[in-house]
Amino acid sequence: MRTIRAALLAAFLATPVVAGSFSDLVMAPGTLTATPEGGLAYSLTRSLPPRPDPVPGQEAAPLPQPIAKGTLTARLVAGAGGGQLVLTRLEDGKTQPEIGFAAGGPNPILLFFLENAVRVIAAETGGSPFYIRNRMREALGAAALAEGAGPQTLTLHPFAEDANRARMGAFGDLALSITFDPADPGRLIELKADTGGGAEGYTEVLRLIPEKVP
């Protein structure tokens, strides 16, 4: 099992937050320390823009792959220091390496989703993952909560005003949508990254699978 390095997690947490902000609530440490016994399960899909045919004799760089049907499960494993939240993935029938996060840290579902989007954008555009991650971090740090009770959806456009937007092609229009209930901020309902364009664009969705009631 791989443990995500603290430096990687800190990349999305370096922006100061203000009271009532999205980061202050949803990205606060320890929101999943009360994970249900069976864990939380999400469906996972990813569609990518068409890619040009490889050049004969030229080795292609590894790129993220589309996912027609996948699942992501987060479960709490007891241990020293409060234990770990372990993510288990099944992507189109293939089991992927487990990923471990400190249970007292920020929500691993959100971090996994954001880092997936960073990895896709960097691979598809050739851009710096540090630059891409910083733009997302700034958008998250500036996001405010809506008024009222019940589930809400926060939609961010991290590259809308970016000076390098024109170089990013369709990824300059990326929208990150996060649906959650402020009363239970650790139990994210849906996370979606979308450039628009349907089958010609990039879309990645994590959607909570409701727990089965005995």
Side-chain angles (χ1 to χ4, degrees), residues 68-205:
K69 183 178 182 180
T71 57
L72 175 73
T73 301
R75 70 184 191 281
L76 185 62
V77 177
Q84 284 192 328
L85 283 160
V86 178
L87 302 188
T88 303
R89 294 170 291 153
L90 186 66
E91 299 177 357
D92 291 331
K94 296 180 180 179
T95 301
Q96 304 297 321
E98 291 184 336
I99 308 174
F101 293 77
N107 192 315
I109 301 295
L110 179 58
L111 294 173
F112 171 83
F113 166 75
L114 294 171
E115 195 60 27
N116 270 5
V118 169
R119 188 169 63 96
V120 168
I121 298 168
E124 295 284 346
T125 66
S128 163
F130 300 101
Y131 185 89
I132 295 164
R133 196 178 290 118
N134 282 340
R135 299 294 81 75
M136 290 187 183
R137 173 174 56 82
E138 290 167 359
L140 287 164
L145 298 172
E147 296 182 0
Q152 59 179 268
T153 298
L154 174 73
T155 301
L156 306 172
H157 299 273
F159 307 108
E161 305 298 329
D162 190 80
N164 293 301
R165 178 179 179 179
R167 301 180 183 179
M168 300 183 67
F171 289 91
D173 295 324
L174 179 74
L176 299 174
S177 298
I178 304 168
T179 302
F180 63 100
D181 188 337
D184 189 3
R187 190 174 174 273
L188 300 174
I189 299 169
E190 183 181 89
L191 304 99
K192 182 177 182 180
D194 188 25
T195 61
E200 300 296 311
Y202 161 59
T203 303
E204 185 154 351
V205 182

Side-chain angles (χ1 to χ4, degrees), residues 7-97:
L8 177 59
L9 302 185
F12 281 111
L13 303 172
T15 297
V17 298
V18 296
S21 73
F22 172 85
S23 293
D24 194 36
L25 179 67
V26 177
M27 298 189 77
T31 57
L32 279 183
T33 52
T35 301
E37 183 176 350
L40 293 175
Y42 289 79
S43 61
L44 170 62
T45 59
R46 178 192 298 145
S47 60
L48 297 168
R51 291 167 175 162
D53 294 330
V55 178
Q58 180 176 331
E59 185 177 352
L63 294 171
Q65 297 300 309
I67 302 170
K69 183 178 182 180
T71 57
L72 175 73
T73 301
R75 70 184 191 281
L76 185 62
V77 177
Q84 284 192 328
L85 283 160
V86 178
L87 302 188
T88 303
R89 294 170 291 153
L90 186 66
E91 299 177 357
D92 291 331
K94 296 180 180 179
T95 301
Q96 304 297 321

